[in-house]
Amino acid sequence: MAISPGRTLPVRQNGGVSVEGATSSRSISRERFETERQARRLAWGGNAWHVIEFAIALGAGVAAGSVALVGFGADSLIEVFSGSVIAWRFSGGRGASEDAERRAQRLIALSYFVLAAYILAESLRDLIGGHHPQPSWIGIALAAVTAVTMPILAQAKRRVGGTLGSAATTAEAEQNQICAYLSVALLVGLLANALFGLWWADPAAALVIAAIAVHEGREGWSRPEHSCC
């Protein structure tokens, strides 16, 4: 059939849905699938690092008698839990489930409170008991590496969370950012102890991190499902 200039063929309909609309929906679904897969990869990749981080921190902390390093290891385990929650959130067809999103947010918020309670208890015990840990250069190296890498991981998760509209993923990214702050506090405390004998610097800085964790937990608990910024 000849088509005169300026004339366009009508769009074929399939069950009331345009071909262009169906193609666009498939494209959006593919993009979301890839982004969800990226969220899972970031979660499992972060977990792999946190397991290594836990082992090093625990070993170095026990060797030096440093409650702060052991506490840092405990933080790593909590982050493994949070990463696993996100991996669960975007697997098994739960990607678009508001129920799963809310449950993930609540679980991560609870992990913030657990982290804050642990840091608070250990910091106060160090300050009140006047515990003087031995210098730990392994702990210093671990804190330095984590302080650099965690903001990068947090930014990647934050970007994915924004794309997916997932407040739970964004909250988990903020937990990685808190890990970076905790690493800096740990680094300052360990260096102050190793170089100047200021044993109290580490638990004092950790108390600030505990306050931040409580704030993030409260925000995550009350944040609406789609409020990811």
Side-chain angles (χ1 to χ4, degrees):
M1 180 180 68
I3 302 175
S4 59
R7 181 184 174 189
T8 58
L9 285 174
V11 176
R12 294 180 59 188
Q13 302 290 320
N14 184 9
V17 179
S18 69
V19 173
E20 283 92 341
T23 302
S24 176
S25 296
R26 283 196 298 271
S27 175
I28 292 172
S29 296
R30 279 197 303 271
E31 287 177 7
R32 183 172 180 87
F33 175 79
E34 289 299 324
T35 307
E36 288 181 2
R37 186 162 66 174
Q38 186 181 1
R40 290 194 299 272
R41 285 174 177 170
L42 286 170
W44 289 125
N47 279 2
W49 166 251
H50 291 313
V51 169
I52 296 171
E53 189 178 69
F54 164 72
I56 296 173
L58 181 63
V62 170
S66 170
V67 179
L69 265 173
V70 174
F72 187 74
D75 166 65
S76 300
L77 284 185
I78 291 173
E79 293 201 62
V80 168
F81 168 74
S82 297
S84 299
V85 168
I86 295 302
W88 166 84
R89 165 72 177 89
F90 292 109
S91 61
R94 286 179 287 266
S97 169
E98 291 188 6
D99 228 18
E101 170 69 15
R102 190 58 185 156
R103 199 172 306 150
Q105 278 183 244
R106 289 287 173 89
L107 286 171
I108 291 172
L110 285 174
S111 73
Y112 273 119
F113 295 137
V114 172
L115 173 59
Y118 187 88
I119 293 173
L120 179 63
E122 296 303 326
S123 298
L124 289 177
R125 188 170 76 172
D126 267 13
L127 287 170
I128 295 170
H131 177 67
H132 292 218
Q134 297 297 314
S136 175
W137 294 103
I138 293 177
I140 288 170
L142 175 65
V145 171
T146 305
V148 173
T149 56
M150 281 302 103
I152 297 172
L153 180 61
Q155 181 59 31
K157 288 183 178 181
R158 204 176 288 122
R159 184 168 57 249
V160 168
T163 301
L164 292 172
S166 169
T169 305
T170 305
E172 204 256 332
E174 293 308 317
Q175 195 168 62
N176 290 147
Q177 190 65 50
I178 285 181
C179 179
Y181 297 148
L182 186 57
S183 300
V184 172
L186 180 66
L187 181 61
V188 170
L190 292 177
L191 283 172
N193 181 46
L195 299 177
F196 309 109
L198 301 178
W199 60 270
W200 50 264
D202 184 5
L207 287 175
V208 177
I209 304 301
I212 294 173
V214 169
H215 172 75
E216 290 298 331
R218 291 177 62 186
E219 287 288 313
W221 188 269
S222 60
R223 184 184 292 127
E225 285 88 341
H226 299 294
S227 176
C228 58
C229 303

